[in-house]
Amino acid sequence: MSMGSRVRTPWSGDYWFLFRNLIVKDFRIRYRNMSLGVLWSLINPLVVMGVLTFIFGRVFGGDRPPLFPVFVLCGLVPYNFFTGAFLSGTLAIVENSPLVKRVPVPRETIPVAVVLSNGVHLLIQIALLLGFTLAYGLRPTVAWLWLPPVWLLYVIFLCGLALGSSAINVYVRDTRYLVESFNMVLFYLVPIFYSFSIIPPRYAAVYQFNPVAAMVLAMRNILMDGHAPPQSLIFNLVIVATVTLGLGLLIFRSLQRRFYEHL
Amino acid sequence: MNPGILSFDGVTKTFAHRAGQALLRDRITDLLFPSRRPRFEALKSISFALQPGESLGLVGPNGAGKSTLLNMATGLMDPDAGRINVHGRVAALLELGAGFHPDLTGAENLRINASMLGLTRAQTDARTNAIVEFAGVPEFMDEPLRTYSSGMVLRLAFSVAVHVDADILLIDEMIGVGDQAFQERALEKIGALRRAGKTIVLATHSAGLMTSLCERALWLERGQTLMLGDTRAVLNAYKAKTVPARS
């Protein structure tokens, strides 16, 4: 079948205004019916941190890394953002099908806006992490200047991931369950409650290219060790973010041609 | 040929039957046996060209392809073959209120909708009063949309759509926009936009409305063009076929 073509005046609106509105929409809808609202962003990591501290301090006893609550939060914050943004990003197109089917809006903005609206929780959790860091007697260093660029790369990585998975989920609705299982397994595959130093060298490669693990390591480097993450880690993050965004856009653009009939 | 402001050139669109199946198994079957799934043609080689200020009426029975044509002109679907040219901003009055969220207030929905239809923040702020006034729901703007009657939602959606300054208006079955009084105002507004030189593509079963707004009409049947020409001539031919003269 020969492909048809469409030539049209590109969408000429205001991307920032659109993003702002879509993010506010996503955020308001999620919290409109919760009395504790954004406090949930704080409660979840605090509870998980408390449980892990209890298990590895009292049940297994002894040999846990120093400053364990900060150590665990350094793992939980990147992990929580990943799982939240990945799952809600995957569902973005299917859950906004009235929009996709009826409003001529640039569709790429939908999953990206959902990831960015998870960024609001992320900011709250980063504030919590920094609060704990200071409370445990660690002091800000120049290395803290690395926080904005590494988080930016991480958010770009997740935007790319959400673009790809949201498009695939339109065609294969099982994607959602795949993502949920993956998120659960990831909790153990990322050094959240254990340290990088105990990973046997032959498995190191598995962690090296895992951007979630890279973020956890970067957080511990910056906040606990007070030095910049290794150059190789930054380099990996740049590569992973760029490639994921490129691939995600490519997948999204080729699959969106038939979104209408599959929604 | 000058493609004008909106043109279709040999546009064909096919749909797969059972395209709604979205399990992994179905996708694998598709990949292995790409031609197994029967397809039907929703539009077959449709061509027309509209110059700025020209309007087109779409006639035909349900399922003839009128909505598919409007969706494709809006940019919600791409053709399988042929070419669609659109030069200018499009406002689609297809399913009013699509994309509105019941838990958000009227004011929030208004802003989100305006930004999606391409208005900047400054334009939205400048036009908000006019939109609210035309919709006639000022006292409800800070209430969640789920407390609105369905007529009020339609009025708000219609009002946003006609205030985005589109060059092309795509309208599907305007009947049922609010009460009698609002319907009259809506038609008046569309007439005014028409006189201001906007291009309108209108699908309706109301012959009077089509004659008053469109100089040309396209008769579709099972996705094919049966006739394209002067509105009165097309409507007469259509009526002659659907209501056979009893002599």
Side-chain angles (χ1 to χ4, degrees):
Chain A
M1 196 191 304
S2 71
M3 280 298 207
S5 64
R6 175 159 63 105
V7 181
R8 59 170 46 246
T9 310
W11 188 82
S12 58
D14 178 343
Y15 274 100
W16 288 119
F17 185 48
L18 176 63
F19 268 124
R20 233 191 69 155
N21 280 322
L22 289 177
I23 293 165
V24 168
K25 171 188 172 191
D26 198 68
F27 200 74
R28 291 234 170 102
I29 292 168
R30 200 169 307 175
Y31 285 109
R32 184 131 293 181
N33 300 317
M34 294 190 199
S35 25
L36 287 183
V38 287
L39 273 181
W40 285 113
S41 293
L42 297 176
I43 294 170
N44 170 287
L46 282 176
V47 168
V48 178
M49 184 193 75
V51 169
L52 287 176
T53 307
F54 171 75
I55 292 173
F56 290 96
R58 304 270 175 258
V59 180
F60 287 110
D63 204 22
R64 53 177 197 187
L67 302 173
F68 197 66
V70 183
F71 180 89
V72 167
L73 270 185
C74 280
L76 277 178
V77 175
Y79 171 80
N80 280 347
F81 178 65
F82 178 88
T83 52
F86 190 23
L87 184 60
S88 56
T90 301
L91 302 175
I93 294 292
V94 170
E95 290 193 338
N96 284 295
S97 62
L99 252 180
V100 176
K101 291 190 79 165
R102 290 287 173 255
V103 186
V105 64
R107 289 165 173 166
E108 290 87 347
T109 55
I110 298 170
V112 172
V114 169
V115 170
L116 295 182
S117 96
N118 276 277
V120 180
H121 313 264
L122 176 62
L123 288 177
I124 296 167
Q125 298 201 359
I126 290 178
L128 178 76
L129 172 59
L130 295 183
F132 261 80
T133 307
L134 297 176
Y136 273 81
L138 295 159
R139 288 293 156 249
T141 62
V142 201
W144 282 38
L145 292 175
W146 276 100
L147 290 173
V150 292
W151 279 110
L152 180 69
L153 288 169
Y154 196 57
V155 171
I156 293 173
F157 157 69
L158 270 150
C159 287
L161 202 61
L163 279 165
S165 65
S166 65
I168 293 170
N169 190 44
V170 173
Y171 290 76
V172 185
R173 300 288 162 93
D174 314 41
T175 310
R176 170 197 189 134
Y177 301 102
L178 211 68
V179 169
E180 281 174 350
S181 312
F182 178 82
N183 278 347
M184 206 189 81
V185 171
L186 192 71
F187 185 80
Y188 302 95
L189 287 181
V190 171
I192 292 172
F193 54 88
Y194 54 95
S195 145
F196 280 87
S197 56
I198 66 163
I199 299 163
R202 66 194 140 130
Y203 300 122
V206 181
Y207 290 89
Q208 198 132 38
F209 286 97
N210 174 349
V212 187
M215 264 320 273
V216 175
L217 185 57
M219 284 308 103
R220 286 180 189 155
N221 283 159
I222 295 170
L223 297 177
M224 302 183 70
D225 311 335
H227 63 69
Q231 269 182 2
S232 61
L233 185 152
I234 303 287
F235 184 72
N236 280 351
L237 266 183
V238 171
I239 297 290
V240 168
T242 324
V243 170
T244 312
L245 184 66
L247 269 180
L249 273 174
L250 202 72
I251 293 173
F252 192 92
R253 297 221 162 122
S254 59
L255 291 184
Q256 72 134 346
R257 291 179 62 91
R258 292 204 169 267
F259 273 2
Y260 188 94
E261 350 179 351
H262 290 278
L263 284 172
Chain B
M1 188 179 70
N2 177 4
I5 191 165
L6 169 67
S7 69
F8 274 46
D9 184 11
V11 170
T12 295
K13 180 73 189 173
T14 65
F15 289 115
H17 285 296
R18 300 201 304 126
Q21 304 280 341
L23 298 175
L24 196 52
R25 160 164 47 96
D26 302 296
R27 288 290 95 67
I28 294 168
T29 324
D30 280 354
L31 276 177
L32 297 178
F33 314 100
S35 58
R36 234 177 63 164
R37 192 158 287 185
R39 303 184 71 87
F40 76 94
E41 287 184 300
L43 287 179
K44 285 180 214 167
S45 198
I46 302 293
S47 299
F48 65 84
L50 298 177
Q51 302 304 320
E54 267 192 304
S55 290
L56 182 73
L58 302 175
V59 287
N62 290 334
K66 303 186 297 282
S67 295
T68 304
L69 192 153
L70 288 171
N71 282 334
M72 294 182 83
T74 309
L76 300 167
M77 276 191 262
D78 284 349
D80 292 322
R83 194 177 169 81
I84 298 176
N85 281 288
V86 184
H87 294 287
R89 182 182 280 173
V90 169
L93 287 74
L94 302 179
E95 200 174 286
L96 290 169
F100 277 17
H101 198 285
D103 283 340
L104 299 179
T105 67
E108 288 168 339
N109 274 300
L110 184 160
R111 273 177 93 74
I112 294 167
N113 207 236
S115 69
M116 290 193 298
L117 295 177
L119 290 192
T120 63
R121 192 177 171 178
Q123 287 170 329
T124 308
D125 289 340
R127 293 177 203 182
T128 299
N129 282 340
I131 293 171
V132 173
E133 197 180 313
F134 188 84
V137 289
E139 67 276 32
F140 286 94
M141 288 314 284
D142 294 321
E143 300 293 325
L145 210 71
R146 61 184 137 76
T147 65
Y148 283 39
S149 72
S150 56
M152 283 158 64
V153 176
L154 291 176
R155 274 149 57 184
L156 183 59
F158 178 88
S159 184
V160 178
V162 294
H163 281 89
V164 296
D165 248 351
D167 307 297
I168 305 166
L169 276 105
L170 304 167
I171 306 170
D172 201 356
E173 286 303 345
M174 282 298 305
I175 295 118
V177 180
D179 51 27
Q180 187 70 36
F182 188 78
Q183 259 189 47
E184 275 163 25
R185 278 206 298 150
L187 292 177
E188 204 174 284
K189 180 78 185 170
I190 290 173
L193 290 167
R194 170 85 185 83
R195 286 190 295 281
K198 310 290 185 191
T199 287
I200 293 173
V201 181
L202 168 77
T204 179
H205 292 288
S206 155
L209 182 59
M210 189 173 294
T211 322
S212 70
L213 286 175
C214 313
E215 55 272 276
R216 285 200 294 158
L218 173 66
W219 175 6
L220 285 173
E221 193 114 22
R222 291 165 175 264
Q224 298 192 45
T225 302
L226 282 196
M227 192 174 171
L228 171 64
D230 173 71
T231 304
R232 277 174 213 282
V234 172
L235 283 174
N236 286 338
Y238 178 63
K239 215 181 288 169
K241 195 211 163 204
T242 47
V243 191
R246 288 171 204 170
S247 55

